[in-house]
Amino acid sequence: MAYKLFYLLLGCTPPGRHTEQHDVFFCIGTSLKDIVPDIQAFWPDAGKIHIDCWREVTTVDGYSITVAERQVHHTKSQHLFFINLGGYLPNSFEEHHYKLLTIATDMSEAIRNAKQTEFYRDYNTEDRSGVSHVDNKYGVDVDEILNVEDILPSQQKERFALIIEPAATKKEDELHIGYLKLDKI
């Protein structure tokens, strides 16, 4: 069976919290069912975790993404980045987020890609007091920017590599959106 890269939006209401919390999780496995133990290990104090959205990552920005057993470490020219943009709308008691994947040579290029999104342009209040923000991290309007290979579970980082090559097709990955209990997978 071929290994796949999964990108999930996990949700739960941890003990002592008043609203549902979310986090993203990247994991390699042969199927969604195969990675349930990894999901549970990722957020051990969450209580009952569910999946709100998931995607098998195969194509990003015109590049194909495949998983291979790690061989000799080699320098990559392209990397898969996860970016979490945060922004505000006037009269909305909420920080809105937009999550994206992008292919770039480094974080600077990934940030430039993020600045081209509609979210980046639209989720800034007119008086700029609520401008999309960085939480004093990078000097740009992102909450998080992470190389996906760096945030895989540790045993997977050692075993697997993501292979990024120009794609033969620009077909977008299917998003599976909706509440999914782990015991129903």
Side-chain angles (χ1 to χ4, degrees), residues 10-27:
L10 303 176
C12 69
T13 305
R17 301 293 179 190
H18 301 292
T19 60
E20 183 176 339
Q21 311 288 295
H22 292 95
D23 204 349
V24 296
F25 180 60
F26 291 87
C27 190

Side-chain angles (χ1 to χ4, degrees), residues 10-12 14 21-24 38-47 49:
L10 303 176
C12 69
Q21 311 288 295
H22 292 95
D23 204 349
V24 296
D38 295 301
I39 293 168
Q40 293 166 327
F42 170 70
W43 204 348
D45 58 343
I49 302 174

Side-chain angles (χ1 to χ4, degrees), residues 51-54 174-180:
I51 298 171
D52 282 313
C53 183
W54 68 275
E174 181 180 0
L175 297 181
H176 304 270
I177 300 172
Y179 187 89
L180 178 60

Side-chain angles (χ1 to χ4, degrees), residues 5 8 13 23 26-27 36 38 45 60 69 71 79 86 90 97 113 118-119 131 140 145 152 163 177-178 180-182:
L5 174 63
L8 300 93
T13 305
D23 204 349
F26 291 87
C27 190
V36 168
D38 295 301
D45 58 343
V60 175
E69 295 280 343
Q71 304 296 319
H79 302 276
H97 286 94
N113 293 349
E118 286 183 33
F119 181 91
V131 68
V140 296
I145 179 168
L152 288 170
I163 308 301
I177 300 172
L180 178 60
K181 291 181 177 183
L182 295 185

Side-chain angles (χ1 to χ4, degrees), residues 67-86:
V67 175
E69 295 280 343
R70 187 171 294 285
Q71 304 296 319
V72 177
H73 181 72
H74 66 282
T75 304
K76 294 173 132 186
S77 61
Q78 299 288 336
H79 302 276
L80 176 62
F81 288 94
F82 163 75
I83 301 175
N84 183 32
L85 294 173

